[in-house]
Amino acid sequence: MRLNRFLSECGVTSRRKADNLIKAGRVTVNGEVVRALGSVVDEATDAVALDGKPVSKERKRYVILNKPPFYLTSLKSLEDGKKTITSFLGDIEQRVYPVGRLDYDSEGLLLLTNDGELANRIHHPRYKVIKTYFAEVSGDVPENLEAVLRDGADIEKRFVKPDSVNVLGASGRRARVSISFHEGQKHLVKKYFEAFGLRVARLKRIACGNVRLGKLKKGAWRDLSPAELGGLRRMTRLAPREQ
């Protein structure tokens, strides 16, 4: 098996990023640094390590968490005392990592997995995995808000257009909107509304591809169903996986 694929299947990262780790000399096989791309390992007999830490295959795990607001999408404790999502994941045996991010003050659906290849593809705009958000916004709300939002806007010198928009209600200077993007630009939803003079007061991700948050309680998690996992793999052009 190619070394980059082995690292990906161990949940370390995607194959492309694994190549960067290999070129940087951070990967060893049987104690020797391997820098050659395309190197092959025997997963049954070779000892692979990243930065000196052994790497081995774990059972793949695919989890959805309902992230509460005011938690960092991080697995590391930080000095500023902000709470992280780690406190909700204690019952998961495998080392799972967030697929993308949710802002500190945002909430809702967060996927976590140790499948590096799938995680990278879900996040990559090439595969157009649509993420849907519920937003409460305030400001000078135009009467034709839905049509205005559908037209797109320039965000940091790049034109961005949502995949779908549905205004759920508007009253005075406030509105409730469902909006979807397949892009993963940092703070994209907030920046998009800001382009129209609107401030996001609440932001909740409610779907990622075919996976929906549903009635999952805040701070709770569950494993993806076979149908949900199969749908994500089809969207990202990966072969079906047996669970």
Side-chain angles (χ1 to χ4, degrees):
M1 178 184 293
R2 285 182 178 268
L3 181 55
N4 63 352
R5 178 183 172 188
F6 177 80
L7 292 170
S8 175
E9 292 193 0
C10 289
V12 174
T13 186
S14 66
R15 293 191 200 184
R16 179 177 296 180
K17 292 182 180 179
D19 283 338
N20 294 333
L21 297 176
I22 294 167
K23 287 190 291 186
R26 295 174 59 185
V27 180
T28 61
V29 179
N30 300 324
E32 300 291 330
V33 174
V34 175
R35 295 179 184 269
L37 300 183
S39 297
V40 176
V41 295
D42 185 330
E43 57 184 297
T45 59
D46 289 330
V48 179
L50 172 64
D51 296 332
K53 297 181 180 180
V55 175
S56 59
K57 284 190 176 182
E58 295 181 309
R59 180 174 75 86
K60 291 292 182 287
R61 198 74 182 265
Y62 307 89
V63 169
I64 172 178
L65 168 72
N66 186 353
K67 173 193 169 301
F70 309 112
Y71 280 82
L72 290 171
T73 306
S74 173
L75 302 181
K76 297 180 181 179
S77 299
L78 301 176
E79 295 180 0
D80 61 9
K82 289 182 177 179
K83 296 176 288 187
T84 74
I85 61 170
T86 306
S87 57
F88 303 116
L89 308 176
D91 295 337
I92 302 175
E93 297 177 1
Q94 293 77 12
R95 297 171 298 173
V96 293
Y97 302 92
V99 181
R101 289 287 185 268
L102 277 176
D103 292 342
Y104 175 66
D105 57 348
S106 298
E107 61 185 290
L109 188 155
L110 184 66
L111 293 177
L112 300 104
T113 184
N114 54 0
D115 187 333
E117 189 67 26
L118 178 62
N120 185 61
R121 294 193 181 202
I122 290 173
H123 194 58
H124 200 293
R126 175 196 309 167
Y127 299 99
K128 297 185 178 180
V129 178
I130 295 174
K131 293 85 176 177
T132 302
Y133 301 83
F134 168 78
E136 294 182 356
V137 301
S138 61
D140 292 326
V141 179
E143 292 184 5
N144 59 338
L145 176 61
E146 192 167 299
V148 169
L149 292 174
R150 284 178 176 167
D151 284 342
D154 289 319
I155 308 293
E156 297 179 348
K157 299 181 179 180
R158 190 164 63 89
F159 183 74
V160 175
K161 190 173 182 178
D163 292 89
S164 66
V165 177
N166 183 19
V167 175
L168 305 174
S171 177
R173 292 177 53 84
R174 300 185 69 87
R176 296 178 295 113
V177 182
S178 172
I179 191 166
S180 300
F181 294 92
H182 67 268
E183 300 187 54
Q185 183 179 341
K186 190 175 182 180
H187 306 310
L188 175 59
V189 180
K190 291 180 179 178
K191 290 178 180 177
Y192 190 77
F193 281 107
E194 287 172 2
F196 299 95
L198 299 171
R199 185 184 71 85
V200 174
R202 182 190 180 199
L203 185 63
K204 180 178 182 180
R205 185 190 289 154
I206 57 177
C208 177
N210 63 313
V211 181
R212 302 193 65 82
L213 184 63
K215 296 182 179 179
L216 189 65
K217 294 181 179 179
K218 288 183 181 180
W221 63 267
R222 64 171 176 81
D223 289 299
L224 293 190
S225 70
E228 289 171 329
L229 177 57
L232 287 176
R233 293 187 69 85
R234 285 191 296 273
M235 290 178 197
T236 54
R237 304 174 205 166
L238 289 170
R241 176 184 291 276
E242 294 183 3
Q243 288 193 311

